Every structure is written in C-alpha cells, then in structure tokens.
Amino acid sequence: MTTAVLAHDRIKDFDWAPSYVPGSTRYPTKFKIPGKTKDPFRTLVREYLSMEQEKDERQYGALEDVLSRTGAAARSDRGWMEALKLVLPMLVYAEYGAMKNMAQLVETVDNPELRQGYLTQALDEQRHVNQELYLLRHFARHAEDSEGFDRGMRVRGSNVFGRASRCCFENYFVNDPIESAITLSVVTETAYTNPLFVPLTEVAAFNGDDVTPGVFLSIQSDEARHMANGYSTLAAVLSVDENLPLAQEAFDRAFWCQHAFLDPLLGALYMYFTPQRINYVEKWQEWIVDDWVSGYIAKLERFGLKIPKHFAHAAERLQWLPHTAAMVGAATWPFHWWRFPGLDERGMEWMEQQFPGWHAIYGSFWEGYRALQDPKAGMIPFQAFPAAPPLCRVCAMPTVFPHPGAPTARVVEHAGRLHAFCSQPCQEIFDNCPERYLQMRAFDEIFDGWGLDEYIVKNGLLRADGRTLVAQPHVDDTKPMWTIDDIAKLGVEIVDPLRVLAAQNAGAADDSAAPTDGSEG
Amino acid sequence: MAADATAKAPRDFTYITPRRRRVSEYEAVNLYGQPSIDGGWDIDPGMLRTPEGRPAWRVESTRLRHPDWFDFRDPSQLWQRTFTKLQAEQERSIERATEDAVAEGTFEDFDPVWLQEMARHYRVWSFVEWGLFRAVFSASRECLTDALSAAFTFEAFDRLRHAQDVVHYLLAIETAMPSFSDAGAKEVWLTDPVYQPLRELVERLMHVTDDWAEVAVVLNLVFDPIATETAVSRLIGRHAPLHGDGVTPAIVRTTERDRRRNRAWTEELVRMVTAAEVPSASANREIVSGWIESWTPAVVAATELLGAVHARFPQRSAEFSDLLKAVLSAQPDLHIDAEVGA
C-alpha cells in the first residue's frame, strides 16, 4: 500500500461514537444515513492547500496585474456589465448558502469518509464568496459605470428578483439537510453550474470582458469535487432502500425550485443584456438534457432514482420563461440596481429567428420600451400593465409564467391568508410543507403602499449626485438619464395584488353572502 | 448629465463602515454575505423555514447579545486567499522538515521511549483535534455574521490540518523505521483512563455545546491555553529536543501560530460584546465569565492526568506540577472588567 493510501485510511478512522454524551441531532433528517460509503474526495489538506494556492495566484495575479492596468473592465460591453451588476450579488448568497449546507452535513451524515470532503468544500465556498466579492469590487473600481456594483450587496434583500434569488438559494441550507444536499449538489452543482459558469465565461469573452472568465473558470474548477461530494452523499442515502421514495420526492422539488429561478434568470442574462447573444435554450439542451439527464441521472437509475417528475413541464415552458422574465425585469426597470438595455431591431430579429412566435408575444412590449426610454415620455412600461402580478409564495417570482398569454398562476387561501403560485409544481411544493413558506413576506407585501420614488430613495437607488437613478432603461450615456423628479411625477405606487384581491373577495362575500373567491384549499 | 453623475461615483463598496480610513480587502471580500439577524437593510434574516419551522439564522444561537454582529473584524484580517497561502506555506515547511529527517536518518537518533510516546500520546492528540474540528465547524453554521463564519471555518481547517499532520508525520517515521507503529492509539484514546476526562470534554464540545460563542470562548480561551498547551506545546514541543528529536517542534510551532490567531479573534469577539457602548455588555461579561469559570476546573482536572504521560518520559525538563502551574499562570487575561468599566 502506498503512503498516500495508508494516510488516507488512517485519516478516515478519526471518528468515534460518543460515549459520555448522546450524539447530536442539530439538523434532523427524515432520511436514514448508512455508516459507510465510498469516499469521493481523496484530497487531503496538504494537497488541497497547494492546489488552491496555485489557482489563487494565477487568478488574482491576472486581476491585479494586466487586467487592472490595461483597463479591461472599461472595455467590456456596457450591457454585459449591467448583467454582472445584477447577478454577482445574487451568486454570493448561493456560495454562502452552500458553505452553510456543508457545516450541516458534517453533523447529519455520520460518515467520516465524507466529513473532510464537506469541510474542504466549505473552504471552496468561502473561496467563491471572496472571489465574487473581489470581482464586484474590481468592477466598482474599474467599470465605466460603476454605480450599482458598489451597492448590489446592500440592496439585493429589498429587490424583487434579489428576494427570489435568496429564496432559491436558501433551499441549500434551510430545509431537511439531505434534501438541501440534493438541491445543492445533485441539482445546482451538477446540472446548473455548467449552464451558469460555462456560457457566462463565453458570453463575457464575446462581449469584451477579459476579467470575468478567469474568475469563473477558476470557480468552476472546484465544482467537479463538489459534484463528487454530492454523488457520494446521494449514493450513501440511496443505499438504504427505504430512502428511495423520500429521495425521489426531494429530487423532484429540488429540481423545480432551482429551475423556477435559475432558468428565467440565466436565459434573460444571456439573451437580453448583450449584443452578442447566445441561445440559452440550446445551452440548456446541451448541459441539462444531454449531459445531466442522459449522463448523470442515467447513472442514478441503478439506485432507482428517476428524472424529476416535472422535468418535461420545465423543458416545455423553458421556451418562453427567459423572455417573460426579461420583460418583467425591463417593465420594472426603476426598481433595480442595474440598467436594463432595450432591444434594437437586430435584437428583435434574432429573437424571432431563434424563437419563432416571439414577436407576437413580446414584440410590441419591446417597441414600447424603446419609445419610453426618454424621461420626456413621462411613463414607464410598468404603467402599461393593468396590474402587477402577485408573487409566488414558493419561488418568489412574479406569477406570469410561462408567458402572459398562457399564465399558469393560481391563488389559494391557506390558514386565512391568500397565497399565489406561479405554477402547479410550486403549489404542490407548498402543499407538501406550507410551514416552510408561511413566514415569507413577498416584496409587494413589504412595500405595499409605498410610492416608487419613496422606494428608490429609501433603498439607496440614487447615484452620487442624489437625483439620478442608478437604474436606467438603456446603457447609452448619450441619452438622457432619468431622475427621481421624473419618477415622482409618475405617481406610481407599489400595490400588493393579494391584498386587493382579498379585499375584493371580502366585498363579494358581503354582497352575495356566499364565498365566491374562486380559490381552492 | 450622465458624465456628471458617474464622475462622482464612490468607486468602492458604499455599505461597509471601514474599521480604518478605507475599506480593507478583508472587509470588502467578507462582509454582508450573510443577512443580518435583526433584519437591518436585508429586511429578513431568512426567507424560508425548515420543516421544523426554524429560520436560516436565530438570535438565540448564542446567549450573547450585540446590536450589530457585523462590527466584528478578525484581527488577523485573513480571507480565503491569504489563509490558503499561509497554511500552504506551513504545510510545505512541515513536508520539507520531514523529508530532510527521512533523508538524514534523523529518526534513528530519537530516544526509543520517546518514539513510543509519539506513537501513543501525539497520535491520540490527532483524535482531539478531529473532535474539535467537528465542534468548530458546527459553530460556523450558526454564528451571526460572515466575518465570524470565516474565522470559524478557518479554525476548523486548522484543526483538520493538525489532525492530518500527526498522521502524515508518524507515517513518515514508520516508512523510515518499519518497526515503528502507531496502531492502537485509537484504543488508547477510547479507553485509557488518562484521556477519558479529555474525551468527555471534547464530546461535550462536539455534541452538546450549541452556543457558537461558547464553543469559541471555551476552546480558544480555556481548552487550548490549558490542555493543548500542556499536551502538545509543553509535553511534545519542549520535551522533543531532550530526546534527540529536533523535527517535531517545527510541526508543533505551526499549530501554536494557529492557536495564537484563534485566541486573538476570540478575544476580539469578547472585547466587542463587552465594550462599554454595548447595551448588554454587563450581561455578556457575566455569560463569558460563567463559561470560563464553569469549564476551567474540568479542563484543568483533565490536563492534570497528563502527568502520567510526563512520568513516562526518560528526560523531563521540570516537575509536571510546575509545568502545569506555568501553563495556568500564562492563561490569557481577558480584561473584561476593564473594558466594561471604561
């Protein structure tokens, strides 16, 4: 036996069953955990440190040296910079949640072979948090329009999409710890880090951003080990027969929760912010269908695990999700900490060519968007809609998907309160465990009754001059910029649609002396 | 107009109140990754709940109270890049020292009884470090700010590093001297009466102590300064040269460096929660003092039993009772009263 194998065998023998105190049950799980499994992670501390130091030196060395001195950030496409303003603060929370997941698994999975893998992954996640915040700060210092990079972390918790991202990523550690591990490692890290990090680096490079690819490729190089952690955790869980139905249900929910936020987000980022677009649906086919489903999940079939229950539904609605998300994001542009570029004729042609039928659904919106870019127009696209849709109680996204012409939204009453859902799977997830969602306050429940101008001022969304908005409906500095005075003139108020609906229902009930709210449950 | 607006941009993170004049790299890459427990500008400490109904973070995860946990700064200012660099360098120094010892046949010069103690006592300590790694890693999950989370995560990594280094080192000796074996050390850890009170303490920290601040205070201000200082620094580090062993102290010194760092951040945590301007400073001071007072006698009693290890050494620098006295008199002075009264 080599010394490396001997060292590893001895290191695996560190754990012991406590005899002076009962074992801890800090993070209870409904799954049965076997005591033995294969160790996926034969990297010991010593090799790990050396490997990561080398990666850090390459990546930070480039950032500190050539890329800073040559002004690489300022040469990047302006729309792409806005996409990064949006996504980086959200991703930081995903990494942070992953770190917390590891610190829970070390308690729950009573298996010494996996424990050191969990700590090493936790340090990787700390690495990614630090890398992404470093990158944000790099752009805050060097991007042509830095405002937004300087405060994304501050405002993400009060933004409608920022809150949806938190909801998505809290599934990594605020749940049964094994279901969290399935969500993080089996779904996000194995399925979604590829369509996230790989096209992100491609799109960045297409759009003149030489800074981001180095950081994200370095992050992605840690992910293979995380996938191995996830696979081994799942294999351990599935080696106990009675876990299979629980694991399948957890897998079904985990996939849907990640799909519900990540697919609209990523699709909108890659197709609506830059002149060099990539077709996200094609990338999804490549990474999620061909690679994840046909490769990875096929391997899990021997344990009895099947493709997530709502996979076909997700694939079907994917066609329109990113477009609808982009439309909602653009319609609400003054609410955000990033600028939302419009679509020019070329962009609209690309959309129709790639997604036949696109123009009939979204064409008039984007034409209108262009017409409303100048503050003199005196209107924002948000005002063109009769009412804001309520937000989903499970994924926190607006209930307008897959597209406004064919919404799958529903509103139900539970425990004396109305709850909206974007889709049947989100409602199913709620019904399975409403306790997970009942304390959640939707964006429009928090800010109900606020003027849009008040929201912008109080949430720090004005530029250093104290009057120009950070957000703008374009990325062209030669065009006029919207100020808080322009917004105040609009008289837009944030309204909680569920409060309005509840009031209407109460009124209808009074009129007819019978409940006619059409709700279920 | 656009040019004017962007010309005055802050060009740095606007949401961090820097400890010094400018936002440091450490502050920029660590702070506000975690939402604040009292809502603050993050609105909610967490949006979802577990099936049992708990949120992401809970104010009751510690008995200590502070109006803003995000005030915490680790005095070492380490973040992942600088931590990894530091520890990679320490590991390389250990690897080189071990390689040289193998090449030079140094292990042959070690006193045979000393070698037995390396296989027994030093190897037992790898189990202690493993248990403490588990305790610290759990604390990292529940603490109420990202800067503390980083300090806990790094400390967990320190402890895993120490545990693994003992194994690597003894394996190098075994490779050089096939007669050497550390087999049986786990049994010693599990059954030898000398180590049982220590094991009970480690198990309490691993499985029972749910307050993350208590884990930090007990571990870094009581357990390490008394038990680890005695078992590793005094018994191994200082006695090695008396037994022809000039190699092991180089490994021990890297762990002492880590311990000083971990003690410093824990002292900073105590200073922060007992500072005069903190409304619950007085209650916090009593809680911290209570932890120290309630754990210290058991840690001292468990450490006293290590006199049996000392008694087996062929060469001794001092009586064990004097050695322990010196360790206890060097316990960190927390200055809690002075801070609160200031």
Side-chain angles (χ1 to χ4, degrees):
Chain A
M1 230 185 293
T2 65
T3 49
V5 173
L6 280 172
H8 204 268
D9 284 349
R10 288 175 196 182
I11 281 159
K12 283 191 301 191
D13 193 36
F14 274 139
D15 257 329
W16 71 92
S19 56
Y20 293 101
V21 299
S24 54
T25 48
R26 289 183 179 124
Y27 306 105
T29 179
K30 53 185 184 293
F31 292 86
K32 299 260 182 315
I33 309 295
K36 287 272 170 210
T37 184
K38 280 186 185 164
D39 179 7
F41 211 80
R42 298 184 82 90
T43 310
L44 301 179
V45 163
R46 187 169 287 176
E47 294 108 60
Y48 172 81
L49 287 166
S50 171
M51 175 176 75
E52 295 300 294
Q53 187 194 11
E54 202 176 304
K55 279 169 26 181
D56 284 346
E57 277 173 6
R58 274 204 302 271
Q59 183 232 284
Y60 287 109
L63 268 173
E64 284 161 355
D65 190 24
V66 179
L67 297 173
S68 293
R69 285 194 281 122
T70 57
R75 289 198 307 273
S76 305
D77 176 73
R78 291 288 299 272
W80 174 242
M81 285 289 103
E82 299 304 318
L84 289 176
K85 248 179 221 180
L86 179 175
V87 76
L88 287 173
M90 295 182 184
L91 281 185
V92 170
Y93 198 49
E95 310 287 5
Y96 202 75
M99 186 159 62
K100 300 295 137 185
N101 173 290
M102 295 301 121
Q104 294 184 171
L105 286 179
V106 81
E107 287 283 323
T108 303
V109 180
D110 189 12
N111 189 320
E113 302 185 10
L114 285 167
R115 281 195 167 113
Q116 88 165 5
Y118 295 146
L119 176 67
T120 320
Q121 180 168 346
L123 195 59
D124 281 346
E125 307 297 359
Q126 176 77 50
R127 177 174 190 260
H128 303 170
V129 166
N130 290 166
Q131 284 172 297
E132 287 162 17
L133 284 168
Y134 191 101
L135 187 61
L136 257 179
R137 194 187 197 201
H138 179 88
F139 289 132
R141 286 174 165 177
H142 300 289
E144 206 165 344
D145 181 6
S146 63
E147 293 206 64
F149 282 119
D150 54 11
R151 75 198 76 175
M153 293 293 291
R154 156 78 176 77
V155 296
R156 63 181 183 169
S158 56
N159 177 273
V160 63
F161 294 111
R163 292 180 69 75
S165 74
R166 285 183 56 185
C167 204
C168 175
F169 302 138
E170 267 177 24
N171 282 298
Y172 300 165
F173 67 108
V174 191
N175 201 351
D176 180 295
I178 297 299
E179 184 159 338
S180 283
I182 290 172
T183 310
L184 171 67
S185 301
V186 181
V187 178
T188 305
E189 287 172 336
T190 311
Y192 277 97
T193 54
N194 280 324
L196 173 58
F197 293 138
V198 180
L200 195 134
T201 57
E202 284 174 18
V203 178
F206 285 156
N207 288 284
D209 171 9
D210 297 328
V211 180
T212 304
V215 175
F216 278 94
L217 288 172
S218 188
I219 289 175
Q220 180 67 2
S221 70
D222 291 327
E223 298 295 342
R225 279 181 287 114
H226 302 179
M227 293 173 200
N229 261 350
Y231 183 79
S232 287
T233 306
L234 188 66
V237 166
L238 292 177
S239 69
V240 178
D241 287 346
E242 61 191 285
N243 283 334
L244 180 60
L246 294 173
Q248 184 68 52
E249 285 176 22
F251 189 37
D252 295 345
R253 286 190 289 270
F255 171 73
W256 188 265
C257 287
Q258 297 305 290
H259 152 78
F261 175 72
L262 289 174
D263 283 328
L265 170 82
L266 298 177
L269 282 184
Y270 299 145
M271 298 195 290
Y272 280 87
F273 280 81
T274 67
Q276 301 294 324
R277 303 166 211 282
I278 62 165
N279 183 328
Y280 180 68
V281 177
E282 282 175 6
K283 290 288 170 191
W284 202 85
Q285 177 68 37
E286 183 184 333
W287 290 110
I288 307 281
V289 178
D290 299 345
D291 202 61
W292 188 61
V293 171
S294 306
Y296 182 81
I297 299 184
K299 272 201 296 182
L300 294 172
E301 275 174 0
R302 68 191 167 98
F303 297 111
L305 203 71
K306 297 192 181 80
I307 293 171
K309 183 174 159 189
H310 299 296
F311 188 82
H313 184 179
E316 184 192 324
R317 68 185 212 139
L318 183 71
Q319 177 85 352
W320 301 121
L321 286 187
H323 307 292
T324 304
M327 185 179 74
V328 175
T332 54
W333 69 261
F335 291 76
H336 308 311
W337 72 85
W338 62 86
R339 298 165 74 156
F340 214 114
L343 277 184
D344 57 13
E345 283 303 326
R346 225 176 109 223
M348 290 176 69
E349 276 167 27
W350 186 89
M351 293 292 173
E352 182 61 30
Q353 188 192 22
Q354 299 284 324
F355 302 96
W358 177 91
H359 203 280
I361 306 172
Y362 306 98
S364 60
F365 171 81
W366 288 104
E367 280 158 7
Y369 187 82
R370 232 182 301 162
L372 298 179
Q373 283 176 323
D374 192 317
K376 286 200 192 98
M379 185 180 174
I380 57 170
F382 181 71
Q383 293 171 285
F385 291 87
L391 300 168
C392 180
R393 187 69 71 201
V394 169
C395 68
M397 290 290 271
T399 54
V400 290
F401 296 111
H403 69 78
T408 51
R410 67 269 323 274
V411 174
V412 304
E413 192 184 320
H414 177 93
R417 190 174 160 214
L418 293 183
H419 304 276
F421 302 104
C422 68
S423 58
Q424 187 271 329
C426 272
Q427 186 183 352
E428 188 180 301
I429 290 167
F430 177 87
D431 289 343
N432 175 258
C433 188
E435 295 73 23
R436 290 194 66 219
Y437 304 97
L438 291 175
Q439 305 296 321
M440 191 165 101
R441 294 180 304 155
F443 168 86
D444 43 21
E445 289 171 326
I446 296 167
F447 296 108
D448 186 28
W450 287 43
L452 175 56
D453 53 339
E454 181 188 9
Y455 171 81
I456 289 168
V457 172
K458 288 189 177 166
N459 282 290
L461 294 169
L462 290 179
R463 288 172 184 261
D465 66 359
R467 51 188 294 271
T468 309
L469 269 61
V470 171
Q472 296 292 330
H474 57 76
V475 290
D476 183 349
D477 287 345
T478 63
K479 287 183 178 171
M481 303 269 268
W482 285 69
T483 68
I484 194 66
D485 298 336
D486 299 322
I487 295 291
K489 275 186 225 156
L490 304 176
V492 170
E493 189 183 302
I494 301 171
V495 174
D496 172 14
L498 290 181
R499 176 183 56 75
V500 173
L501 186 59
Q504 283 169 358
N505 288 346
D510 287 346
D511 291 346
S512 65
T516 55
D517 63 3
S519 68
E520 304 162 38
Chain B
M1 183 161 61
D4 287 347
T6 53
K8 298 172 202 158
R11 292 275 171 202
D12 205 345
F13 291 162
T14 52
Y15 50 87
I16 294 172
T17 306
R19 186 53 56 87
R20 300 212 173 130
R21 203 162 59 85
R22 287 195 183 140
V23 174
S24 67
E25 200 158 70
Y26 160 81
E27 290 172 317
V29 301
N30 271 316
L31 296 184
Y32 299 107
Q34 179 168 325
S36 65
I37 188 70
D38 59 358
W41 42 257
D42 250 322
I43 299 183
D44 306 275
M47 294 179 72
L48 299 183
R49 294 288 186 278
T50 66
E52 296 78 33
R54 65 152 290 183
W57 287 277
R58 302 162 305 159
V59 75
E60 330 66 83
S61 58
T62 177
R63 288 169 61 208
L64 301 179
R65 295 290 175 268
H66 192 273
D68 185 5
W69 289 106
F70 291 82
D71 275 352
F72 178 79
R73 304 285 187 277
D74 181 345
S76 76
Q77 299 270 304
L78 286 178
W79 53 292
Q80 174 271 335
R81 183 190 184 190
T82 51
F83 173 79
T84 300
K85 184 166 186 267
L86 172 79
Q87 298 300 25
E89 281 165 4
Q90 299 214 106
E91 281 300 292
R92 272 194 287 276
S93 76
I94 292 172
E95 237 178 331
R96 278 191 212 110
T98 313
E99 258 174 44
D100 293 347
V102 171
E104 292 161 11
T106 311
F107 300 131
E108 302 287 344
D109 301 335
F110 287 18
D111 183 292
V113 178
W114 176 253
L115 274 171
Q116 282 172 21
E117 288 306 322
M118 297 299 290
R120 184 184 172 98
H121 175 69
Y122 195 31
R123 181 68 164 90
V124 162
W125 209 258
S126 69
F127 294 97
V128 175
E129 289 286 17
W130 171 266
L132 301 180
F133 142 66
R134 295 268 317 266
V136 176
F137 197 17
S138 294
S140 80
R141 163 63 186 88
E142 296 294 338
C143 63
L144 295 175
T145 164
D146 28 49
L148 276 168
S149 168
F152 273 119
T153 304
F154 296 155
E155 182 169 342
F157 207 80
D158 291 342
R159 296 188 180 279
L160 188 61
R161 183 180 82 79
H162 302 168
Q164 292 192 4
D165 277 347
V166 174
V167 170
H168 285 305
Y169 179 55
L170 299 185
L171 196 57
I173 300 181
E174 189 179 312
T175 310
M177 302 175 65
S179 60
F180 178 88
S181 168
D182 63 5
K186 189 171 188 179
E187 197 56 25
V188 173
W189 168 240
L190 295 177
T191 59
D192 186 332
V194 167
Y195 294 105
Q196 297 320 294
L198 270 171
R199 184 156 73 83
E200 185 176 347
L201 287 169
V202 172
E203 288 182 5
R204 274 171 62 195
L205 282 163
M206 286 169 83
H207 298 288
V208 181
T209 314
D210 283 333
D211 187 313
W212 53 265
E214 185 178 2
V215 170
V217 166
V218 171
L219 204 42
N220 296 324
L221 303 183
V222 181
F223 189 95
D224 266 357
I226 300 172
T228 311
E229 173 68 18
T230 303
V232 180
S233 295
R234 305 286 173 140
L235 289 186
I236 300 192
R238 296 210 187 172
H239 281 80
L242 305 180
H243 298 92
D245 174 3
V247 186
T248 316
I251 302 173
V252 170
R253 274 197 290 275
T254 72
T255 70
E256 289 169 343
R257 214 169 280 136
D258 292 347
R259 266 166 34 211
R260 284 197 296 274
R261 196 188 81 239
N262 292 323
R263 190 171 97 182
W265 75 254
T266 308
E267 285 173 345
E268 171 57 21
L269 171 66
V270 172
R271 191 209 59 74
M272 180 176 113
V273 298
T274 56
E277 66 276 13
V278 173
S280 48
S282 171
N284 289 341
R285 182 195 57 202
E286 280 180 30
I287 292 164
V288 172
S289 302
W291 287 334
I292 292 172
E293 281 161 23
S294 68
W295 283 82
T296 301
V299 173
V300 172
T303 308
E304 277 170 348
L305 295 182
L306 297 177
V309 178
H310 184 255
R312 289 196 297 264
F313 290 172
Q315 307 295 329
R316 292 187 285 272
S317 59
E319 290 300 315
F320 185 74
S321 56
D322 291 336
L323 182 155
L324 189 56
K325 241 183 255 167
V327 168
L328 293 175
S329 66
Q331 265 235 71
D333 177 0
L334 296 174
H335 304 293
I336 293 173
D337 296 321
E339 285 290 346
V340 171

